[in-house]
Amino acid sequence: MKKISFVFLEEISLHQLQKLVVFLLTQFLDRETTNAYSETHTHTMGKGGGGEDAVMLPLFETKEARFRGAYKVFAFTVFVGICLIWVYRLTHIPRAGEQGRWAWIGMFMAELCFGLYWILTQSCRFKVVYNHPFKERLSNRCKDKLPSVDIFVCTADPKMEPPTMVINTVLSVMSYNYPPEKLSVYLSDDGGSDLTFYALIEASNFSKHWIPFCKKFNVEPRFPGAYFSQQIDVHDIKYAQEWLAIKKLYKQMENRIDSAIEMGEIPKEIRDQHKGFSEWNSKVTKQDHQSIVKIMIDGRDENAVDIYGGRLPTLVYMAREKRPQWSHNFKAGAMNALIRVSSKISNAPFILNLDCDMYANDADIIRETLCFFMDEKKGHEISFVQFPQNYDNITKNDIYACSISVANNVELVGIGGYGAALYCGTGCLHRRESLYGKVYSKDYGGELNVEFKTNADKAVNELEEVSKFLANCNYEKDTQWGKKMGVIYGCPVEDVVTGLAIQCRGWKSLYYNPNRKAFLGVAPTTLDVVLVQQKRWSEGMFQIFFSKYCPFTYGHGKIKLGAQMGYCMYLLWAPISFPTLYYVIVPPLCLFHGISLFPQVESIWFWPFAYVFVARNACSIAEALSCGDTLKAWWNGQRIWLIRRTTSYFFGFIDTISRQLGLSETTFAITTKVVIEDVLKRYEEEVIEFGSSTIMVTIIAVLALLHIFSLIGGIKKIFLDLEFIKLDQLILHVILSLLLVMINIPVYQALFIRNDEGRIPSSVLLKSVVLVSLACLIPIV
């Protein structure tokens, strides 16, 4: 590096000095970081900035994924193959009167749908970018000027979502490495349960021990249940002693809560110790109760301290009013009540919302995420930062494909690359102003260090009474709440609609997937829960497509076309069930009857089918392995993909159409977080839990039997019957049916071999055999 005299430095201008700093940085920093720095430098100088604040390193950088150009070339070749398949279908349609004509036309329609849907999925893959924050720079720059953050935790039913799990999540976020006086935690209890309220009282007391312990030893994760299940380092005697003492306190608290839940009521001596229990009487029910707001810990109070005298964050319990005659709008209504109530108590400029089963796994994640909002160049444009949904109970080979690794690491990342990350309803840090319906403008500066606490001088009782009014049923009447303010109403996946509406007001959103998972939840452990959850999601997504919020119309000219396509990739889950059902029913039946729907091996038209099949599956395997999945996990994912499309998505479509015709109303199904011991054992052994005779399980069984019947029948026609049918005429049919049989092996085991409680009931087997026998008698036209 060139030597520069200090005398010369005194004579050069400020502008020259700034150029020199950029040059010096190129000697020490990597090229990408320096480029980002130069952009910020140019931006601030363009505004006429000067002095030491004019040149600031960016608080985050964005890097494009490698090999994007090569992938585009690959995708183009696949697209050409798909087009050739369409051409083959159109140019080889059987003549009128020939057997299989209508089956052939149906194949063309199914393959047309698959091709168009594949095009939608490519939009996000062309824009994969990775965001990386510089937490150290934020700490050096802001020091004690960090903004306040409100954290919302939502629960709805103490039976489906155990209070012990709920308070573990609350404790994990109370323990963040963040100034406690700038942290406020709100628990929304839509069940209005005194059991949940009691659990929060216990958590508020335990937090006085737990928070200082976490910060003293820098423990991770800060979810007590998960932390105490780990092995400890016995070499540190002091740590081991405190670990045992804290674990004892936790177990005692857990036992008291579980005992109260088992009895179904709070003991009188406990009720007498806290005046908050006076809100509950014999008339209070889950769907009929008044607003309840209780400030458990007042973070403004300097006497609200832990056992070592350290300040504690604010902790608030809220149960919004519910009456039978008022629509409560499910989780969206709870979120909007939380936004209003928190505005009177803490009114932080940022809001982190979590589901009650999604605990904090990284104590520094708030500081990291604020880098995106507080960046001088781009931070003011950002409305929210979405994190992936990860789970701590995923088996090695992900039996139910709940880890959605490719979606988390490729698809959602790609949509975020357009500045339009999907809001997924949990694990999201929002800018409060964007949730109020504010339209973004270039003049917006985002005054992050302004304190909005207008009620700092009010007593706790006064704040509670004022907040209750904001959580009343009739507060939203004749207002814009649920329309242009807060979370949007009218859809089971209100979070996705809300994110889209915010982006169409000019805001940008980012998707951030940190190296250490920010939040961990509880994945379903039974197939039934998985399918119910997927049905609700697909139904809600399809409702958005039918509503005024369809991205192609509502987002036209407001978000990029690639983002619109990325949204619709998920919104069209439900209708993609029909071509899938057609493809897994009609070709096997045609094989059974000896009717060919695919080109012969020696035909040139065989190669587009072969190339598209091999290329797409090879790419799918490569994506899965690069995202950390095993090969078996990828195979399990293909099975669940097929099951979801033929059951959950199908019924999601039916329910959406019924709702559009006014034949049904939207419902919200809470998935249980309670796990039975023998079910958990089978889950850990990666054995699929069927165990019911629902219509979805019946469809799974029918399709599995159809595939094996068709394969056996088709092979019999080829090798044993006297009819002149060559193997090469049906080879693609045989391959397709063989793959379907292989993917359904766990279904056959549940039908014929297993004798545990998770097997498929014999009544389902009987119905399935009858239905498949009837299907095989249907003539193919």
Side-chain angles (χ1 to χ4, degrees):
M1 186 173 63
K2 296 180 180 179
K3 295 183 178 179
I4 303 170
S5 69
F6 288 96
V7 175
F8 176 71
L9 283 175
E10 293 176 359
E11 297 177 356
I12 63 177
S13 67
L14 175 62
H15 181 67
Q16 290 171 322
L17 180 61
Q18 289 167 343
K19 284 187 174 181
L20 178 61
V21 171
V22 175
F23 169 75
L24 292 173
L25 282 169
T26 61
Q27 311 301 314
F28 300 99
L29 301 177
D30 62 90
R31 182 175 299 274
E32 291 182 17
T33 302
T34 305
N35 288 341
Y37 170 85
S38 300
E39 292 176 6
T40 304
H41 158 75
T42 304
H43 174 77
T44 53
M45 288 304 297
K47 289 186 175 181
E52 63 181 11
D53 291 331
V55 180
M56 288 189 177
L57 292 172
L59 292 179
F60 73 95
E61 67 176 356
T62 299
K63 292 184 178 181
E64 293 185 353
R66 295 181 300 168
F67 310 120
R68 273 177 35 176
Y71 181 81
K72 289 180 180 179
V73 173
F74 164 78
F76 178 75
T77 64
V78 174
F79 176 68
V80 171
I82 291 173
C83 290
L84 290 174
I85 291 174
W86 293 341
V87 171
Y88 170 74
R89 288 294 177 199
L90 289 173
T91 57
H92 290 73
I93 298 176
R95 296 171 183 170
E98 288 187 15
Q99 192 177 27
R101 174 181 170 82
W102 289 106
W104 188 284
I105 294 173
M107 290 292 286
F108 168 69
M109 297 302 297
E111 287 161 353
L112 179 64
C113 291
F114 287 145
L116 294 175
Y117 187 77
W118 177 84
I119 293 172
L120 289 180
T121 67
Q122 298 311 294
S123 64
C124 59
R125 286 170 168 80
F126 291 166
K127 197 66 175 177
V128 176
V129 297
Y130 300 105
N131 299 302
H132 175 67
F134 299 113
K135 182 177 59 177
E136 296 76 12
R137 295 178 185 176
L138 177 67
S139 300
N140 294 335
R141 189 176 305 173
C142 296
K143 295 181 181 178
D144 60 343
K145 296 181 181 180
L146 290 169
S148 298
V149 177
D150 290 341
I151 302 177
F152 298 167
V153 179
C154 297
T155 184
D157 189 326
K159 294 180 180 178
M160 305 282 279
E161 300 167 335
T164 303
M165 178 192 68
V166 175
I167 64 165
N168 267 269
T169 298
V170 169
L171 288 165
S172 72
V173 296
M174 289 180 71
S175 309
Y176 273 134
N177 287 336
Y178 203 77
E181 66 276 10
K182 296 192 174 185
L183 201 61
S184 300
V185 181
Y186 295 79
L187 176 64
S188 168
D189 177 18
D190 247 16
S193 170
D194 56 349
L195 294 172
T196 303
F197 179 69
Y198 167 60
L200 196 64
I201 292 175
E202 290 282 2
S204 67
N205 294 327
F206 179 68
S207 68
K208 298 174 183 178
H209 301 267
W210 176 246
I211 293 176
F213 172 76
C214 290
K215 295 183 177 180
K216 180 178 180 180
F217 296 103
N218 196 29
V219 304
E220 294 282 8
R222 299 189 176 182
F223 180 92
Y227 175 71
F228 288 125
S229 65
Q230 299 176 343
Q231 297 293 326
I232 67 166
D233 183 8
V234 295
H235 299 292
D236 188 336
I237 302 301
K238 185 176 181 181
Y239 167 64
Q241 289 174 341
E242 293 201 32
W243 185 91
L244 289 171
I246 294 293
K247 182 176 182 180
K248 182 179 179 181
L249 290 175
Y250 172 72
K251 288 298 181 182
Q252 290 173 345
M253 175 189 71
E254 189 178 46
N255 290 336
R256 289 193 296 270
I257 295 171
D258 290 343
S259 296
I261 293 172
E262 188 176 347
M263 291 188 299
E265 61 180 8
I266 310 300
K268 186 177 184 304
E269 60 271 17
I270 296 177
R271 298 180 72 94
D272 293 340
Q273 293 173 8
H274 201 290
K275 63 180 181 180
F277 285 110
S278 61
E279 297 281 359
W280 281 270
N281 54 46
S282 58
K283 297 181 180 179
V284 171
T285 65
K286 179 181 177 180
Q287 299 297 335
D288 191 0
H289 60 80
Q290 76 284 6
S291 298
I292 304 172
V293 177
K294 293 298 174 183
I295 299 177
M296 320 293 287
I297 299 176
D298 184 6
R300 305 169 304 167
D301 186 358
E302 294 183 357
N303 295 319
V305 296
D306 59 38
I307 57 172
Y308 295 115
R311 294 281 294 273
L312 290 172
T314 296
L315 180 62
V316 181
Y317 172 90
M318 184 203 79
R320 61 190 171 119
E321 181 185 22
K322 281 190 176 181
R323 301 300 179 192
Q325 66 272 22
W326 288 89
S327 174
H328 57 79
N329 295 302
F330 312 112
K331 181 183 173 183
M335 278 288 294
N336 287 343
L338 280 171
I339 293 170
R340 295 192 297 270
V341 168
S342 65
S343 70
K344 290 297 181 184
I345 297 174
S346 52
N347 202 28
F350 296 102
I351 295 171
L352 171 66
N353 84 281
L354 297 172
D355 286 344
C356 64
D357 63 334
M358 193 69 65
Y359 69 84
N361 189 55
D362 185 348
D364 293 318
I365 199 63
I366 290 183
R367 289 178 182 267
E368 283 188 18
T369 314
L370 286 177
C371 291
F372 299 112
F373 293 99
M374 301 182 72
D375 181 77
E376 283 73 15
K377 182 179 178 182
K378 299 180 179 179
H380 62 286
E381 303 174 347
I382 299 171
S383 59
F384 64 84
V385 176
Q386 176 66 56
F387 294 87
Q389 295 189 44
N390 295 304
Y391 305 97
D392 66 354
N393 64 329
I394 298 293
T395 58
K396 178 183 177 181
N397 297 305
D398 195 8
I399 189 67
Y400 296 124
C402 290
S403 65
I404 53 173
S405 299
V406 173
N408 282 341
N409 293 280
V410 179
E411 296 174 355
L412 294 174
V413 175
I415 300 173
Y418 293 102
L422 269 69
Y423 170 34
C424 299
T426 182
C428 188
L429 186 64
H430 301 265
R431 188 187 298 274
R432 181 182 286 270
E433 289 176 294
S434 67
L435 286 172
Y436 282 154
K438 182 180 178 66
V439 177
Y440 173 78
S441 67
K442 293 183 179 179
D443 297 330
Y444 174 73
E447 298 80 3
L448 303 180
N449 292 321
V450 175
E451 291 294 334
F452 296 102
K453 297 181 180 180
T454 57
N455 297 304
D457 57 337
K458 291 187 177 181
V460 168
N461 291 341
E462 189 176 355
L463 279 178
E464 290 176 346
E465 291 303 315
V466 171
S467 299
K468 286 180 182 179
F469 171 71
L470 300 176
N472 284 346
C473 289
N474 59 359
Y475 181 85
E476 295 181 351
K477 185 178 180 181
D478 300 324
T479 71
Q480 292 299 313
W481 284 99
K483 300 172 185 176
K484 294 183 179 180
M485 294 180 66
V487 181
I488 306 298
Y489 295 154
C491 177
V493 285
E494 63 281 331
D495 33 38
V496 176
V497 172
T498 302
L500 177 61
I502 290 172
Q503 291 152 8
C504 290
R505 293 197 289 264
W507 295 94
K508 292 183 179 179
S509 58
L510 296 183
Y511 185 84
Y512 177 40
N513 190 0
N515 292 330
R516 180 179 176 86
K517 295 175 180 177
F519 306 99
L520 290 174
V522 180
T525 56
T526 68
L527 182 63
D528 185 55
V529 173
V530 170
L531 297 182
V532 169
Q533 192 178 64
Q534 291 288 328
K535 175 186 171 295
R536 176 166 61 87
W537 289 345
S538 63
E539 178 184 352
M541 296 285 193
F542 197 38
Q543 285 181 23
I544 297 174
F545 190 80
F546 266 121
S547 72
K548 70 174 185 178
Y549 294 105
C550 176
F552 287 135
T553 54
Y554 187 75
H556 179 68
K558 300 173 185 175
I559 61 175
K560 295 180 179 179
L561 177 61
Q564 298 171 29
M565 295 171 67
Y567 266 99
C568 289
M569 175 177 65
Y570 295 103
L571 302 191
L572 295 176
W573 272 353
I576 202 65
S577 63
F578 282 89
T580 304
L581 278 166
Y582 190 91
Y583 228 80
V584 298
I585 293 176
V586 174
L589 284 176
C590 286
L591 173 63
F592 184 83
H593 291 285
I595 300 172
S596 177
L597 295 177
F598 296 101
Q600 298 181 17
V601 175
E602 62 267 19
S603 170
I604 194 173
W605 292 105
F606 170 82
W607 295 106
F609 286 90
Y611 177 73
V612 170
F613 174 80
V614 172
R616 289 184 61 182
N617 281 283
C619 180
S620 177
I621 292 172
E623 282 185 339
L625 295 179
S626 67
C627 293
D629 287 342
T630 64
L631 188 60
K632 188 174 180 180
W634 173 83
W635 181 249
N636 289 337
Q638 301 307 298
R639 179 185 304 112
I640 296 299
W641 170 88
L642 180 64
I643 290 174
R644 287 199 313 237
R645 284 192 174 192
T646 54
T647 55
S648 299
Y649 297 174
F650 173 71
F651 287 106
F653 181 93
I654 299 299
D655 285 357
T656 300
I657 299 302
S658 298
R659 182 178 181 274
Q660 293 295 319
L661 297 175
L663 302 177
S664 64
E665 295 183 357
T666 300
T667 59
F668 188 89
I670 302 173
T671 51
T672 181
K673 310 302 188 299
V674 180
V675 182
I676 301 173
E677 187 174 348
D678 61 332
V679 172
L680 180 60
K681 182 180 178 181
R682 286 191 289 272
Y683 174 72
E684 291 172 345
E685 294 173 351
E686 298 192 330
V687 177
I688 296 180
E689 186 76 17
F690 295 95
S692 66
S693 55
T694 63
I695 189 170
M696 289 192 189
V697 173
T698 302
I699 290 176
I700 294 169
V702 167
L703 292 176
L705 291 177
L706 173 64
H707 298 150
I708 198 167
F709 281 17
S710 298
L711 181 62
I712 295 171
I715 292 175
K716 175 177 176 293
K717 272 192 177 296
I718 294 170
F719 294 106
L720 299 180
D721 288 2
L722 297 178
E723 300 177 30
F724 185 70
I725 300 176
K726 293 182 179 179
L727 177 61
D728 63 352
Q729 292 179 306
L730 295 174
I731 186 63
L732 289 181
H733 284 272
V734 173
I735 292 173
L736 176 61
S737 291
L738 182 61
L739 287 173
L740 290 172
V741 167
M742 290 172 61
I743 214 166
N744 279 305
I745 286 176
V747 182
Y748 303 133
Q749 292 172 337
L751 282 168
F752 303 113
I753 300 174
R754 289 168 54 184
N755 57 8
D756 55 68
E757 293 297 321
R759 69 185 185 280
I760 295 177
S762 55
S763 59
V764 173
L765 172 60
L766 180 60
K767 287 187 291 186
S768 301
V769 170
V770 172
L771 291 172
V772 171
S773 300
L774 293 174
C776 291
L777 296 176
I778 298 175
I780 302 297
V781 295

